[in-house]
């Protein structure tokens, strides 16, 4: 006697429904997380622009409202890469020239800062001898270095790079030294037990332990570098966002000054985020 097998129930639709619901719930949570990050700044920005528009929209206002800034500078916004020769260039090209100077000066400051930080952090004799001198030099304002740099190099380009380097080196050096001095004694004891030579101790113990401190100094240093180059270019001239800012002031183009300030702030924020990303990539999520 044969028994016919009962057909299996069709559950495909029932299985798809929960999977779809989970996917939609995940997308909803993601959208809410993004909204929590983006919406508050957008609301604050809208309120600020509205206040600015109302405060300076009347006749005789000392500053242009946002609507006039956009109207006056639309060509610069729409065509950031134009190059008519000489100093008549788009804002993107001015910013690019400034960033090239920052890249060179900041690289020099980073290398020198880490090496000096390791020296004064590892040697108490070097710390006692050099720290008082460094504490005096680091209080000198960035632009105060410009005349001596121009006298020494006799050219504006290396002088501007020197100002960047001497401005950014101090936070990198001091934070590196603090990181070296804060290496746990247990790490040093392990190094003695394993009989690590100085080079092995540096790469296996010192460098991993000080990465968060180094990148904290680098974050401060990149901000100071951007600040220094903008200020230096206002005085030495040439292609650069600082020169564009000062030239706009001399031409009484207030809308262009405001646009340049916005671009300067956005580029500074981008540089800070790049250093943060690099720190997390090298030192792990706990670096910042």
């Amino acid at each position: 006697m044969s028994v016919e097998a009962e057909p299996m129930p069709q559950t495909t639709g029932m299985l798809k429904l929960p999977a779809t619901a989970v996917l939609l719930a995940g997308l909803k949570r993601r959208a809410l997380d993004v909204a929590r990050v983006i919406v508050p700044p957008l609301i604050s920005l809208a309120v600020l622009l509205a206040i600015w528009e109302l405060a300076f929209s009347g006749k005789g206002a000392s500053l242009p409202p946002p609507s006039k800034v956009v109207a006056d500078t639309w060509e610069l916004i729409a065509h950031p890469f134009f190059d008519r020769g000489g100093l008549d260039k788009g804002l993107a090209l001015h910013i690019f020239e400034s960033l090239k100077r920052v890249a060179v000066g900041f690289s020099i400051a980073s290398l020198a800062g880490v090496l000096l930080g390791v020296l004064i952090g590892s040697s108490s004799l070097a710390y006692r001898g050099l720290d008082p001198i460094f504490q005096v030099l680091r209080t000198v304002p960035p632009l105060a270095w410009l005349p001596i740099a121009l006298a020494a190099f006799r050219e504006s380009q290396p002088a501007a790079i020197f100002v960047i380097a001497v401005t950014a080196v101090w936070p990198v050096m001091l934070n590196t030294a603090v990181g070296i001095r804060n290496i746990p004694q247990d790490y040093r004891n392990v190094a003695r037990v394993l009989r690590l030579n100085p080079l092995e101790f540096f790469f296996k113990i010192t460098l991993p332990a000080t990465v968060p401190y180094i990148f904290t100094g680098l974050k401060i240093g990149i901000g100071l570098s951007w600040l220094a180059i903008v200020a230096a270019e206002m005085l030495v001239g040439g292609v650069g966002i600082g020169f564009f800012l000062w030239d706009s002031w001399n031409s009484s183009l207030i809308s262009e000054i405001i646009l340049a300030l916005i671009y300067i702030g956005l580029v500074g924020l981008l540089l800070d985020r790049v250093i943060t990303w690099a720190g997390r990539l090298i030192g792990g999520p706990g670096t910042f």
Side-chain angles (χ1 to χ4, degrees), residues 173-246:
M173 180 191 68
L174 294 176
N175 278 275
T176 302
V178 170
I180 295 289
R181 290 196 295 270
N182 285 340
I183 293 177
Q185 187 60 41
D186 291 344
Y187 289 10
R188 302 181 188 274
N189 295 336
V190 170
R192 292 192 187 97
V193 171
L194 297 177
R195 297 182 180 180
L196 300 180
N197 61 46
L199 196 60
E200 290 175 330
F201 180 79
F202 177 77
F203 283 104
K204 294 183 178 180
I205 303 294
T206 301
L207 194 58
T210 56
V211 162
Y213 295 90
I214 292 173
F215 273 92
T216 297
L218 292 175
K219 282 192 67 172
I220 300 172
I222 194 66
L224 293 177
S225 298
W226 187 236
L227 180 151
I229 191 56
V230 171
E233 287 174 347
M234 292 174 68
L235 297 181
V236 301
V239 179
I241 190 63
F243 167 77
F244 177 88
L245 191 67
W246 191 246

Side-chain angles (χ1 to χ4, degrees), residues 3-282:
V3 178
E4 294 183 358
E6 295 183 1
M8 293 294 293
Q10 300 295 323
T11 59
T12 305
M14 296 177 63
L15 291 175
K16 284 185 176 180
L17 183 58
T20 305
V22 170
L23 178 62
L24 291 176
L27 292 175
K28 183 179 179 181
R29 284 195 301 269
R30 181 61 179 168
L32 289 174
D33 291 340
V34 172
R36 290 190 189 99
V37 174
I38 295 179
V39 172
L42 290 179
I43 294 175
S44 300
L45 180 61
V47 172
L48 178 63
L49 290 176
I51 295 173
W52 180 9
E53 183 75 30
L54 292 174
F56 295 98
S57 59
K59 292 183 179 180
S62 57
L63 294 176
S67 56
K68 190 174 189 309
V69 170
V70 173
D72 292 344
T73 62
W74 182 247
E75 286 299 317
L76 289 172
I77 297 172
H79 306 286
F81 295 99
F82 75 83
D83 188 354
R84 301 190 181 104
L87 301 176
D88 191 8
K89 301 179 185 296
L91 269 173
L93 299 181
H94 281 286
I95 291 173
F96 180 67
E97 289 298 321
S98 297
L99 287 174
K100 287 198 297 185
R101 299 185 183 104
V102 168
V104 176
F106 181 67
S107 298
I108 295 171
S110 300
L111 179 61
V114 170
L115 294 177
L116 288 171
V118 171
L119 175 64
I120 65 175
S122 303
S123 171
S124 58
L125 179 61
Y127 177 80
R128 291 194 300 270
L130 296 175
D131 186 66
I133 299 173
F134 291 156
Q135 293 298 334
V136 172
L137 294 178
R138 76 183 185 88
T139 61
V140 178
L143 289 185
W145 291 102
L146 188 58
I148 195 69
L150 288 171
F153 296 106
R154 300 184 183 277
E155 291 184 16
S156 61
Q157 182 85 348
I161 292 173
F162 173 81
V163 170
I164 295 169
V166 80
T167 301
V169 70
W170 310 118
V172 179
M173 180 191 68
L174 294 176
N175 278 275
T176 302
V178 170
I180 295 289
R181 290 196 295 270
N182 285 340
I183 293 177
Q185 187 60 41
D186 291 344
Y187 289 10
R188 302 181 188 274
N189 295 336
V190 170
R192 292 192 187 97
V193 171
L194 297 177
R195 297 182 180 180
L196 300 180
N197 61 46
L199 196 60
E200 290 175 330
F201 180 79
F202 177 77
F203 283 104
K204 294 183 178 180
I205 303 294
T206 301
L207 194 58
T210 56
V211 162
Y213 295 90
I214 292 173
F215 273 92
T216 297
L218 292 175
K219 282 192 67 172
I220 300 172
I222 194 66
L224 293 177
S225 298
W226 187 236
L227 180 151
I229 191 56
V230 171
E233 287 174 347
M234 292 174 68
L235 297 181
V236 301
V239 179
I241 190 63
F243 167 77
F244 177 88
L245 191 67
W246 191 246
D247 186 60
S248 298
W249 163 252
N250 290 331
S251 303
S252 300
L253 301 174
I254 306 301
S255 294
E256 292 189 6
I257 293 175
I258 294 173
L259 179 65
L261 291 176
I262 294 172
Y263 278 29
I264 290 170
L266 292 175
V267 172
L269 177 63
L270 178 62
L271 292 174
D272 181 85
R273 292 296 182 265
V274 167
I275 297 297
T276 301
W277 172 81
R280 289 175 178 169
L281 181 66
I282 295 173

